[in-house]
């Protein structure tokens, strides 16, 4: 970032955990960054508080009612901020000429159009929405290349891999033998698989190391988040499926590793705090303070690694199956998982049926897409897969 100009940052999903951490980092560097636009889903009060603190130029909500309520709430506090509404509003903000950087922290496939809009507009795109790559795949990466966007991964695992690699991306393939994505193992790492059918939403959302939203917490408990991250890594780093491996690392200190062709192992370590990868994404290729606590190596009791068991985490292993399927298979996996997780959180589906719904949707919903499908076709497939998964959820209950 040159000169004295502040970086205008659009935070898509400002009311979520990643959005909140992003706003915290921005507030620590008011001379460098401005929260230029903030978006939420329907959490009016949370976004109102963020707007009152950060005074963005624009805001957006998912629907007209929420947008009207937000505008009224802000006006009552003496703050006149234009509030946009609807999915197109996210795309408009992500590609706005005055926006320099976009934090894509919207959860799920709903974030794909805005991510592609930011990519095509050539923004610094900080990607916390893994579904943009899981659903978008080659289409999303083409938008990044054609738009000249700077794509920076924010997931702690992918940021770790990125930090271990040289800035010159053209040399990556010459260096990498394989990568290792680490996983905490979630709250059920040592639980008897035979008892998982009785897991409640509250238990699944009680992550031992990270503070996250409910959906991603359930994904961590099933390790479906790692399945999505395997798919994301395939596109971010241009790897073959067999070059991506997963190990459980309960301490969440080693965030991921690159195994080089000479068998050197490069690892990125740090306290489990999402503000670290967020700060790196904002400042790359420089470094700024994040607010995270320093890593005390002397206080560590040890670093351990173990292989994930298919009997405990069957959903994880669907990642490699989906990557070897036809174009769009990973989008089907993601859609089915979103439907199944929501049904579980609403107590309409057992925990152990989440992966069954995903596997059966993969088997029964054929993508039928071209090798480089337009966004509209990907979203239509997403909708079709959701309908298929919804029918399976209903069938599981009968």
């Amino acid at each position: 970032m040159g000169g004295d100009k502040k970086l205008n940052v659009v935070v898509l999903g400002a009311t979520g955990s990643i959005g909140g951490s992003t706003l915290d980092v921005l507030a620590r560097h008011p001379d460098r960054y401005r929260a230029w636009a903030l978006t939420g889903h329907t959490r009016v009060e949370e976004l109102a508080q963020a707007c009152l603190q950060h005074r963005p130029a624009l805001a957006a909500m998912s629907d007209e009612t929420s947008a009207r309520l937000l505008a009224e709430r802000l006006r009552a506090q003496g703050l006149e901020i234009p509030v946009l509404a609807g999915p197109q509003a996210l795309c408009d903000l992500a590609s706005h000429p005055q926006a320099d950087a976009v934090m894509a922290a919207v959860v799920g496939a709903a974030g794909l159009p805005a991510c592609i809009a930011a990519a095509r507009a050539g923004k610094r795109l900080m990607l916390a929405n893994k579904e943009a790559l899981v659903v978008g795949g080659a289409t999303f990466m083409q938008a990044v290349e054609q738009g000249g966007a700077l794509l920076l991964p924010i997931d702690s695992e992918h940021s770790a891999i990125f930090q271990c690699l040289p800035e010159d991306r053209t040399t990556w393939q010459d260096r990498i033998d394989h990568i290792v994505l680490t996983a905490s193992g979630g709250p059920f790492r040592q639980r008897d698989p035979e008892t998982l059918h009785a897991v409640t939403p509250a238990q699944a959302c009680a992550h031992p190391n990270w503070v996250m939203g409910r959906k991603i917490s359930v994904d961590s408990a099933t390790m479906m988040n790692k399945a999505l991250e395997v798919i994301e890594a395939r596109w971010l780093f241009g790897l073959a499926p067999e070059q991506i491996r997963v190990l459980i690392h309960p301490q969440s200190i080693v965030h991921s590793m690159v195994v080089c062709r000479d068998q050197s192992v490069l690892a990125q370590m740090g306290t489990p705090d999402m503000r670290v990868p967020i700060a790196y994404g904002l400042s790359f290729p420089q470094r700024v303070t994040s607010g995270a606590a320093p890593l005390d190596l002397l206080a560590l009791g040890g670093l351990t690694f173990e292989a994930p068991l298919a009997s405990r985490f069957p959903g994880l292993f669907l990642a490699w199956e989906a990557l070897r399927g036809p174009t769009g298979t990973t989008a089907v996996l993601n859609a089915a998982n979103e439907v199944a997780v929501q049904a579980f959180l609403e107590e309409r589906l057992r925990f152990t049926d989440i992966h069954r719904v995903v596997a059966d949707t993969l088997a029964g919903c054929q993508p039928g897409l071209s090798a480089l499908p337009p966004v509209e076709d990907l979203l239509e497939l997403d909708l079709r897969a959701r309908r298929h998964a919804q029918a399976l959820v209903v069938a599981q209950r009968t």
Side-chain angles (χ1 to χ4, degrees):
M1 186 173 65
D4 297 326
K5 181 182 180 297
K6 293 183 182 181
L7 202 71
N8 281 340
V9 181
V10 177
V11 184
L12 304 177
T15 58
S17 60
I18 297 296
S21 294
T22 302
L23 293 175
D24 180 87
V25 176
L26 294 178
R28 293 172 186 275
H29 303 279
D31 58 323
R32 298 175 64 98
Y33 309 113
R34 180 191 180 194
W36 182 78
L38 304 180
T39 82
H41 182 40
T42 56
R43 294 160 67 179
V44 172
E45 185 58 34
E46 288 92 332
L47 193 59
Q49 290 300 321
C51 288
L52 289 169
Q53 179 181 353
H54 296 275
R55 305 292 172 122
L58 294 167
M61 300 295 286
S62 292
D63 58 73
E64 294 284 353
T65 300
S66 297
R68 176 177 53 79
L69 291 173
L70 176 62
E72 291 174 355
R73 173 76 171 80
L74 296 176
R75 197 174 299 116
Q77 296 292 320
L79 190 59
E80 292 285 347
I81 295 177
V83 181
L84 311 180
Q88 184 59 42
L90 272 65
C91 296
D92 293 343
L93 292 178
S95 59
H96 198 285
Q98 293 185 47
D100 301 309
V102 176
M103 169 58 74
V106 174
V107 175
L112 175 60
C115 288
I116 287 186
R120 287 175 174 163
K123 305 300 184 183
R124 172 187 287 255
L125 177 53
M126 297 169 285
L127 191 67
N129 175 272
K130 58 177 63 69
E131 292 84 0
L133 281 165
V134 174
V135 177
T139 300
F140 176 76
M141 293 305 295
Q142 182 189 59
V144 170
E145 182 177 356
Q146 291 180 344
L150 175 59
L151 182 61
L152 298 163
I154 298 301
D155 277 346
S156 60
E157 298 82 1
H158 302 90
S159 176
I161 299 297
F162 186 83
Q163 292 182 55
C164 289
L165 293 170
E167 291 181 25
D168 182 1
R169 300 185 185 215
T170 63
T171 67
W172 286 0
Q173 292 302 312
D174 297 330
R175 294 170 180 258
I176 299 175
D177 182 82
H178 66 275
I179 65 172
V180 178
L181 302 178
T182 57
S184 68
F188 308 132
R189 179 177 65 87
Q190 295 180 310
R191 182 160 170 162
D192 182 352
E194 296 297 323
T195 70
L196 291 175
H197 67 278
V199 163
T200 67
Q203 291 171 328
C205 291
H207 196 281
N209 298 344
W210 299 93
V211 178
M212 304 180 292
R214 282 165 60 81
K215 192 270 182 182
I216 193 172
S217 293
V218 175
D219 282 348
S220 180
T222 62
M223 278 189 69
M224 185 58 77
N225 70 320
K226 211 55 52 177
L228 300 177
E229 287 169 12
V230 167
I231 298 165
E232 185 181 4
R234 177 263 178 271
W235 292 107
L236 278 172
F237 307 113
L239 301 173
E242 57 271 16
Q243 288 181 285
I244 308 167
R245 303 176 191 178
V246 172
L247 286 178
I248 291 177
H249 171 52
Q251 297 81 19
S252 295
I253 297 299
V254 177
H255 297 300
S256 278
M257 295 172 274
V258 174
V259 180
C260 302
R261 292 199 173 185
D262 61 3
Q263 297 308 302
S264 296
V265 179
L266 308 177
Q268 188 266 336
M269 303 169 63
T271 52
D273 190 324
M274 285 305 299
R275 290 177 297 179
V276 174
I278 289 168
Y280 186 68
L282 283 166
S283 63
F284 175 83
Q286 303 172 25
R287 300 270 184 170
V288 297
T289 56
S290 66
L295 178 62
D296 186 350
L297 293 172
L298 295 177
L300 294 178
L303 302 177
T304 60
F305 302 89
E306 56 196 64
L309 298 178
S311 60
R312 187 175 285 117
F313 304 113
L316 167 65
F317 299 90
L318 295 174
W320 290 273
E321 176 185 330
L323 279 172
R324 294 186 176 97
T327 299
T329 303
T330 57
V332 173
L333 178 146
N334 177 73
N337 181 63
E338 289 190 20
V339 167
V341 169
Q342 186 61 36
F344 167 70
L345 287 171
E346 295 171 358
E347 300 185 7
R348 296 185 290 112
L349 191 71
R350 291 189 305 180
F351 182 80
T352 47
D353 286 333
I354 294 174
H355 82 269
R356 294 189 180 97
V357 168
V358 176
D360 290 349
T361 305
L362 283 172
C365 185
Q366 300 304 312
L369 299 182
S370 63
L372 200 64
V375 177
E376 294 75 19
D377 289 358
L378 289 166
L379 294 178
E380 191 280 329
L381 172 62
D382 175 81
L383 181 60
R384 183 156 50 92
R386 287 172 189 274
R387 290 171 176 161
H388 193 103
Q390 288 283 13
L392 290 170
V393 168
V394 173
Q396 290 282 351
R397 300 183 67 195
T398 59

